[in-house]
Amino acid sequence: MPGKKKYSSLIIDDEPLAIKVIKEHLENFSNKIDCIGSYTKPIEAIETLNKGGIDILFLDINMPSIDGIEFLKALSVKPYVIFTTAYREYAVDAFDLNALDYLVKPISTGRFLKAINKFLSMEQTQLTKPKEIIHIKADKKNYNITAESILYIEGVDNYIKIKTTTNSLICYESLASMEKELPAEIFIRIHRSFIININQIDHYTSSYIKLDDRQFTIGRNYKEQVLYNLEKQ
């Protein structure tokens, strides 16, 4: 399958007008970035974010239910974050959490452009870096394998099965911990028990993915995000 062409973004802000402004700014980048949704209540966005596949999160800080700083700390899957706030005093805390940028409202077009160009520049660097090596411990041996050679990873009880282009490895770690080590641009979780390499897909439908002569069911809770990510490849 071809490389990634468009990125996905999500907006969290308790003010609908602020969401509208960010969406209007994003329209200037409609050929590169999709806004797949927005939330005025941060808690409602957790499930979508934890599924992965979100590249940029535009996050307000001063919200009534939970502030953006604490919300980001609670996420298990963290995309690039651009804070959008009317308050300057949280900038140090935001950058301590490796925020990509910190935009103070009202956000000008020029300032928004600078933040997006920073993101695109970082992504281009990631795409051109040398092949990523994954370190695996299996069968009392240490393996160094390229991420691209992994076809899929299956979670089974207290271990995972890693299927590569040349062999299969059994590792005693969780699927969630392994997911954090994989490059998000080519791996996607399609089920609570499976992570696949999107570059190795033979074909897919709305209900399953065919890969390595095996048919993988797309989990109900993952379907919307999986299909979105596959269709924008």
Side-chain angles (χ1 to χ4, degrees):
M1 297 180 70
K4 192 169 192 175
K5 295 180 180 179
K6 296 188 76 173
Y7 300 99
S8 60
S9 65
L10 196 72
I11 305 169
I12 302 177
D13 197 305
D14 64 316
E15 299 179 0
L17 180 58
I19 291 175
K20 181 175 181 291
V21 169
I22 294 172
K23 285 183 176 179
E24 288 174 349
H25 281 312
L26 282 171
E27 288 177 1
N28 295 317
F29 304 91
S30 59
N31 63 325
K32 295 180 180 179
I33 302 172
D34 283 332
C35 178
I36 69 164
S38 60
Y39 295 88
T40 56
K41 296 179 180 179
I43 302 302
E44 294 178 353
I46 288 179
E47 184 177 353
T48 298
L49 286 164
N50 282 342
K51 289 178 184 177
I54 302 299
D55 300 301
I56 318 173
L57 172 61
F58 295 93
L59 181 61
D60 189 18
I61 290 182
N62 192 14
M63 295 180 285
S65 56
I66 181 173
D67 70 69
I69 299 290
E70 292 304 314
F71 178 79
L72 178 58
K73 290 179 181 178
L75 291 179
S76 59
V77 178
K78 295 179 174 64
Y80 284 110
V81 173
I82 297 176
F83 280 105
T84 57
T85 177
Y87 302 89
R88 297 179 180 272
E89 59 265 31
Y90 299 106
V92 173
D93 291 334
F95 287 116
D96 280 344
L97 292 174
N98 296 317
L100 178 66
D101 213 332
Y102 189 94
L103 304 182
V104 178
K105 301 172 183 176
I107 303 167
S108 69
T109 300
R111 187 63 184 86
F112 193 88
L113 172 63
K114 184 177 180 180
I116 295 300
N117 281 339
K118 183 189 293 187
F119 164 75
L120 294 174
S121 176
M122 292 182 71
E123 279 295 295
Q124 185 60 39
T125 299
Q126 290 294 317
L127 291 173
T128 56
K129 70 179 182 179
K131 291 183 178 180
E132 186 161 351
I133 302 298
I134 306 296
H135 304 286
I136 303 295
K137 289 185 178 181
D139 304 321
K140 298 182 180 180
K141 299 176 184 178
N142 295 302
Y143 295 85
N144 292 326
I145 59 178
T146 62
E148 291 87 347
S149 70
I150 298 174
L151 301 178
Y152 64 86
I153 304 170
E154 180 179 1
V156 185
D157 296 328
N158 64 336
Y159 65 91
I160 58 174
K161 177 181 177 182
I162 302 174
K163 183 67 164 57
T164 74
T165 53
T166 58
N167 61 3
S168 295
L169 301 171
I170 301 297
C171 305
Y172 287 92
E173 64 175 290
S174 70
L175 195 63
S177 64
M178 186 66 199
E179 184 176 13
K180 295 177 182 178
E181 300 178 36
L182 300 169
E185 63 268 20
I186 63 172
F187 287 92
I188 185 171
R189 191 156 183 172
I190 65 165
H191 187 278
R192 63 186 179 87
S193 299
F194 290 104
I195 297 171
I196 65 159
N197 183 338
I198 60 177
N199 291 334
Q200 298 287 351
I201 293 175
D202 294 323
H203 64 266
Y204 68 92
T205 70
S206 61
S207 59
Y208 71 85
I209 291 172
K210 184 73 172 357
L211 186 158
D212 190 40
D213 293 328
R214 182 170 176 177
Q215 187 168 297
F216 297 85
T217 299
I218 302 174
R220 182 180 61 183
N221 293 333
Y222 298 83
K223 181 170 294 189
E224 182 178 356
Q225 190 64 51
V226 168
L227 294 178
Y228 174 82
N229 285 327
L230 293 179
E231 287 168 3
K232 69 177 182 180
Q233 296 302 311

